[in-house]
C-alpha cells in the first residue's frame, strides 16, 4: 500500500463501492478501498436477501411509507433526496455500469416484490440473494478501473487528526480535520500511516454487538468509535432495528435471515397454539412495520415462555419456493425443514443501525474532510425505524453523492505532511484470546438482555455500569497488548455499547 491516496475509503459494501466507482471517473484521482475482511465481498451488503427499492415517477406513496414506518421521525430532506435523486443513480451504477442482474418477469420486464409497510410492490430483487448480486457486480466492474486499489485484511484503527499544539479548544474544534487513517495490516502485523485528502467511512453498523444478529462479524461499530475518538458527532444510536423473522436454528449467534419478502409473499405468523397473533397487534398483520412485528413476537414469547413463533408459507408449492427463495429453501432443508410443508421457527434478531455518524445530505461528517456513507452514517432517512429495502438504496445514493461532493472539492485540498504525524507506537504484550472472547460474550449478552427489544430504566442502568467497568479494563489491556483485528474490534465495541446505552437513557419514550 502507498503512503498517500487522494481518497481513502474504509469499507467495501454498496456505499463504499459506489463511492469508489463514481470517484474513479476522474482519472487523476488515486483511490484506495480497504476492508478488514479476508475477501472484498465480506460486507453486510453481500448478505442482504430482500432487495432494493426502485422509485418510479408515478410512485406518490414512497414518502408516506418511509415516514409511516418510522412514525414520522424520518428527516424529510433526506427522504426528498432518496425520492428525487436515487433512481437515475440506480440506473447509472447498477443497470448501466455494474449490469447487476435482477429477477425478471416472463415478458422480460423487471419483477417487483413487496415487503412490510410498503403500499405496493416496488422492490427489485434477485431471488433471495439480492445483496450478493449487487456486491459481486460492483466488484466486477471495479476490477476494470485502473485508479482504484482494493486492500483486504486491513483494519482501520484510528482516524488521523493533526494536533494543534498551543491552540485553544475553540480553535482546535474549528480547525479539526481528518487527514487519513492508521491501518493495521493483519498479515504483516504492521501499522500503516496512510494520508488522504479525503477519507470516507463505509464501515457498516453495530449489530454484531448483540448476542443474536443477522450481520457479518464486522458489524462492530469500528467507524462510529473512530469518529467519536476523533471528536465527531454520532447520533440516534438508540435506534437499533430488530428483524422479526430469523431462523431459530442451532447456530445461536449469527442468525439466518428469513427475508421479509417471505411475508411480503403471503407467509403468516403463528404462535405455538396455531393462532395468527398479529391480529391482536396491528391492522396490517404480518406486514406491519418491522419494530411492531418484532415487539409483538417478543411479547408472545415472553408472556408464554415460548422459544419461538412460526412462519407459515405452506400454501405455496415447493417448486415456487425453490425458485423464489432458493437460499432460504436450501438453508432450511439442511435443517430438515421443507418450507412448503413445515412451519419455520423464527425469532427476532438485531439487524440494522438506523443511527450513526452524523452527516449532511452530501455524506459530510461534522469533521472536515471526513465523509460517512451507508449504514455507518446517520442521514436521518430512517428515523427510529427503517422501511424495508431502503438500506441498499441509501448506501448507493449517498455513496454516489459523497463522491460527487469530493470531486467538486478535492482540488482545494493538499496532502498533509506525513512527517508531522506521529508513527503508531506498538506494544507487544501477548494477548490472551480467551479474555477477548469472554469480554465479547459479556458485551453480547448484556446488550441482548438489557439493551434489546424490551428495555427498562433499571436494565439500562445495570448495563451502563457493567459496560463502564469493562471499558476501563479493556482500555488498560489495549494500551499494552500486541495489536490484532479482534482487539481493535473489542475496544470499539465496548465504546459503542456506552453510546447506545447513553442514547437509550436519554430517549426512553
Ligand atoms: C429482508 O430481506 O427482510 C431484509 C430487507 C431489509 O433489511 O431491508
Amino acid at each position: 500500500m502507498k503512503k498517500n491516496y487522494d481518497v481513502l475509503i474504509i469499507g467495501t459494501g454498496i456505499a463504499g463501492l459506489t463511492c469508489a466507482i463514481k470517484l474513479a471517473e476522474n482519472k487523476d484521482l488515486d483511490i484506495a478501498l480497504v476492508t478488514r475482511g479476508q475477501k472484498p465481498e465480506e460486507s453486510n451488503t453481500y448478505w442482504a436477501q430482500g432487495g432494493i427499492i426502485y422509485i418510479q415517477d408515478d410512485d406518490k406513496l414512497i414518502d408516506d411509507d418511509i415516514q409511516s414506518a418510522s412514525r414520522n421521525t424520518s428527516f424529510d430532506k433526506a427522504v426528498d433526496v432518496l425520492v428525487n435523486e436515487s433512481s437515475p443513480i440506480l440506473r447509472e451504477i447498477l443497470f448501466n455500469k455494474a449490469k447487476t442482474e435482477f429477477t425478471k418477469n416472463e415478458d422480460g420486464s423487471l419483477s417487483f416484490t413487496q415487503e412490510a409497510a410498503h403500499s405496493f410492490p416496488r422492490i427489485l430483487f434477485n431471488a433471495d440473494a439480492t445483496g450478493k448480486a449487487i456486491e459481486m457486480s460492483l466488484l466486477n466492474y471495479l476490477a476494470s478501473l485502473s485508479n482504484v486499489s482494493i486492500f483486504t485484511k486491513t483494519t482501520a484503527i484510528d482516524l488521523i487528526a493533526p494536533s494543534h499544539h498551543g491552540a485553544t479548544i475553540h480553535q482546535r474544534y474549528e480547525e479539526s480535520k481528518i487527514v487519513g487513517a492508521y491501518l493495521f495490516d493483519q498479515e504483516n502485523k504492521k501499522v500503516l500511516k496512510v494520508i488522504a485528502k479525503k477519507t470516507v467511512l463505509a464501515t457498516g453498523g453495530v449489530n454484531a454487538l448483540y448476542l443474536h444478529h443477522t450481520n457479518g462479524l464486522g458489524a462492530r461499530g469500528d467507524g462510529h468509535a473512530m469518529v467519536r475518538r476523533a471528536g465527531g458527532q454520532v447520533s440516534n444510536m438508540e435506534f437499533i432495528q430488530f428483524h422479526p423473522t430469523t431462523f431459530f436454528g442451532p447456530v445461536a449467534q449469527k442468525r439466518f435471515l428469513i427475508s421479509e419478502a417471505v411475508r411480503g409473499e403471503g407467509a403468516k405468523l403463528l404462535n405455538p397454539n396455531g393462532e395468527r397473533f398479529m391480529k391482536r397487534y396491528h391492522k396490517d398483520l404480518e406486514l406491519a412495520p418491522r419494530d411492531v412485528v418484532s415487539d409483538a413476537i417478543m411479547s408472545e414469547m415472553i408472556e408464554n415462555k415460548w422459544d419461538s413463533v412460526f412462519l407459515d408459507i405452506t400454501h405455496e408449492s415447493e417448486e415456487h419456493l425453490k425458485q423464489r427463495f432458493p437460499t432460504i429453501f436450501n438453508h432450511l432443508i439442511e435443517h430438515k425443514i421443507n418450507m412448503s410443508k413445515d412451519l419455520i421457527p423464527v425469532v427476532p434478531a438485531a439487524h440494522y443501525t438506523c443511527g450513526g455518524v452524523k452527516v449532511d445530505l452530501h455524506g459530510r461528517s461534522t469533521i472536515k474532510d471526513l465523509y460517512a456513507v451507508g449504514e455507518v452514517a446517520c442521514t436521518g432517512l430512517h428515523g427510529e425505524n427503517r422501511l424495508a429495502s431502503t438500506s441498499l438504496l441509501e448506501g448507493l445514493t449517498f455513496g454516489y453523492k459523497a463522491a460527487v461532493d469530493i470531486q467538486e472539492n478535492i482540488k482545494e485540498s493538499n496532502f498533509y505532511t506525513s512527517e508531522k504525524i506521529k508513527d503508531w507506537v506498538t506494544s507487544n504484550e501477548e494477548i490472551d484470546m480467551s479474555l477477548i472472547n469472554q469480554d465479547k460474550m459479556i458485551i453480547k449478552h448484556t446488550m441482548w438482555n438489557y439493551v434489546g427489544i424490551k428495555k427498562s430504566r433499571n436494565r439500562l442502568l445495570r448495563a451502563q455500569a457493567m459496560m463502564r467497568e469493562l471499558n476501563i479494563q479493556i482500555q488498560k489491556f489495549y494500551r499494552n497488548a500486541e495489536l490484532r483485528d479482534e482487539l481493535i474490534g473489542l475496544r470499539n465495541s465496548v465504546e459503542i455499547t456506552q453510546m447506545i446505552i447513553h442514547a437509550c437513557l436519554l430517549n426512553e419514550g
Side-chain angles (χ1 to χ4, degrees):
M1 194 164 188
K2 291 190 280 189
K3 290 189 170 148
N4 287 359
Y5 289 90
D6 292 302
V7 186
L8 171 65
I9 302 173
I10 304 169
T12 52
I14 188 170
L17 297 184
T18 302
C19 187
I21 288 173
K22 188 64 190 162
L23 281 168
E25 283 176 1
N26 180 342
K27 294 289 169 224
D28 294 336
L29 294 183
D30 193 8
I31 302 148
L33 255 173
V34 300
T35 171
R36 59 171 287 285
Q38 306 294 298
K39 295 183 182 163
E41 63 265 33
E42 275 178 36
S43 67
N44 274 345
T45 297
Y46 184 90
W47 294 109
Q49 292 181 353
I52 181 166
I53 295 175
Y54 180 28
I55 303 169
Q56 311 284 319
D57 290 344
D58 59 354
D59 186 345
K60 304 290 176 235
L61 297 172
I62 180 72
D63 313 51
D64 285 352
D65 287 354
I66 292 173
Q67 288 291 4
S68 89
S70 75
R71 276 181 292 280
N72 291 320
T73 57
S74 291
F75 178 41
D76 51 0
K77 293 201 167 55
V79 177
D80 288 347
V81 168
L82 201 82
V83 173
N84 299 322
E85 300 182 38
S86 67
S87 295
I89 296 174
L90 187 148
R91 287 192 286 272
E92 175 185 328
I93 300 291
L94 298 186
F95 291 174
N96 300 337
K97 287 189 164 146
K99 307 213 180 309
T100 310
E101 284 199 25
F102 292 105
T103 298
K104 300 217 170 66
N105 299 314
E106 275 173 14
D107 64 2
S109 59
L110 287 165
S111 183
F112 291 91
T113 190
Q114 179 153 16
E115 290 181 48
H118 284 269
S119 296
F120 63 91
R122 56 159 81 91
I123 300 165
L124 293 177
F125 61 100
N126 181 318
D128 59 356
T130 313
K132 182 173 172 188
I134 291 177
E135 178 78 16
M136 298 318 284
S137 63
L138 290 172
L139 281 170
N140 192 35
Y141 180 74
L142 260 177
S144 67
L145 304 175
S146 56
N147 53 341
V148 183
S149 314
I150 302 190
F151 301 91
T152 56
K153 302 178 201 163
T154 305
T155 311
I157 313 170
D158 260 317
L159 298 164
I160 302 176
S163 56
H164 302 282
H165 294 296
T168 63
I169 287 180
H170 181 69
Q171 282 164 338
R172 281 185 204 189
Y173 186 74
E174 289 287 298
E175 291 164 20
S176 71
K177 63 176 176 177
I178 295 302
V179 298
Y182 291 107
L183 304 176
F184 178 60
D185 171 348
Q186 297 169 19
E187 265 179 351
N188 298 308
K189 298 194 181 334
K190 278 200 179 127
V191 176
L192 314 169
K193 190 170 70 177
V194 173
I195 302 295
K197 292 177 185 165
K198 307 278 180 192
T199 303
V200 182
L201 290 174
T203 46
V206 306
N207 306 291
L209 300 191
Y210 285 82
L211 185 59
H212 306 298
H213 65 90
T214 61
N215 290 196
L217 297 178
R220 60 191 193 184
D222 286 359
H224 307 70
M226 287 191 287
V227 168
R228 284 302 286 135
R229 288 195 293 269
Q233 286 182 30
V234 176
S235 55
N236 290 7
M237 289 303 284
E238 69 275 39
F239 301 139
I240 302 293
Q241 183 172 65
F242 291 80
H243 197 290
T245 53
T246 69
F247 177 48
F248 180 56
V251 183
Q253 291 194 32
K254 178 171 166 35
R255 291 218 183 263
F256 182 81
L257 189 68
I258 309 292
S259 175
E260 207 154 63
V262 177
R263 275 175 284 134
E265 304 225 350
K268 297 179 192 68
L269 277 167
L270 304 178
N271 64 25
N273 293 336
E275 184 205 2
R276 196 173 177 190
F277 60 89
M278 280 308 299
K279 283 185 187 155
R280 286 189 273 112
Y281 292 90
H282 198 280
K283 66 175 177 34
D284 293 334
L285 305 171
E286 288 80 7
L287 295 183
R290 213 171 254 186
D291 56 344
V292 175
V293 183
S294 292
D295 200 70
I297 296 175
M298 282 310 282
S299 298
E300 292 291 297
M301 287 167 51
I302 292 169
E303 271 164 37
N304 300 289
K305 298 197 171 46
W306 288 324
D307 288 339
S308 76
V309 295
F310 296 92
L311 256 187
D312 178 3
I313 189 150
T314 53
H315 64 276
E316 290 286 5
S317 70
E318 180 167 329
E319 197 193 358
H320 172 74
L321 292 173
K322 266 185 183 162
Q323 184 239 321
R324 176 64 185 87
F325 301 113
T327 316
I328 298 172
F329 190 92
N330 291 331
H331 183 88
L332 292 175
I333 284 290
E334 281 170 27
H335 295 276
K336 306 206 173 354
I337 292 173
N338 178 334
M339 64 196 282
S340 70
K341 299 190 179 85
D342 304 319
L343 300 182
I344 310 165
V346 289
V347 287
H351 182 60
Y352 193 84
T353 315
C354 296
V357 175
K358 189 170 184 216
V359 293
D360 67 12
L361 299 175
H362 302 278
R364 300 181 201 126
S365 77
T366 53
I367 318 182
K368 191 164 179 271
D369 294 335
L370 178 69
Y371 292 72
V373 292
E375 192 174 350
V376 66
C378 179
T379 61
L381 173 74
H382 308 305
E384 64 178 45
N385 182 54
R386 178 174 68 84
L387 177 68
S389 286
T390 46
S391 52
L392 292 174
L393 192 62
E394 187 198 36
L396 179 89
T397 306
F398 285 88
Y400 184 100
K401 283 179 68 70
V404 171
D405 195 73
I406 291 171
Q407 279 169 342
E408 285 169 2
N409 294 302
I410 201 160
K411 282 180 227 86
E412 295 152 22
S413 310
N414 294 312
F415 283 115
Y416 197 79
T417 316
S418 179
E419 289 67 38
K420 287 200 209 160
I421 304 290
K422 284 190 204 143
D423 286 331
W424 188 266
V425 182
T426 44
S427 306
N428 47 18
E429 201 170 286
E430 211 174 304
I431 56 175
D432 178 350
M433 279 310 286
S434 61
L435 273 183
I436 292 199
N437 291 336
Q438 174 62 13
D439 289 347
K440 259 201 226 168
M441 289 317 288
I442 293 174
I443 291 175
K444 282 167 176 283
H445 279 276
T446 308
M447 293 304 284
W448 183 255
N449 291 317
Y450 298 163
V451 197
I453 298 175
K454 303 274 189 196
K455 300 183 190 67
S456 71
R457 189 163 181 81
N458 276 347
R459 290 184 200 185
L460 290 171
L461 290 172
R462 169 71 72 88
Q464 188 174 53
M466 287 172 71
M467 291 300 105
R468 268 190 192 144
E469 175 56 28
L470 191 62
N471 184 38
I472 294 169
Q473 298 305 327
I474 290 173
Q475 299 293 345
K476 268 194 218 158
F477 180 60
Y478 180 87
R479 272 198 288 279
N480 302 324
E482 63 166 341
L483 265 190
R484 283 213 195 181
D485 172 72
E486 291 88 341
L487 182 58
I488 295 168
L490 180 66
R491 176 201 188 203
N492 291 335
S493 300
V494 75
E495 290 179 10
I496 301 300
T497 61
Q498 294 174 89
M499 269 185 227
I500 299 173
I501 298 165
H502 181 67
C504 291
L505 282 165
L506 289 179
N507 183 5
E508 286 186 82

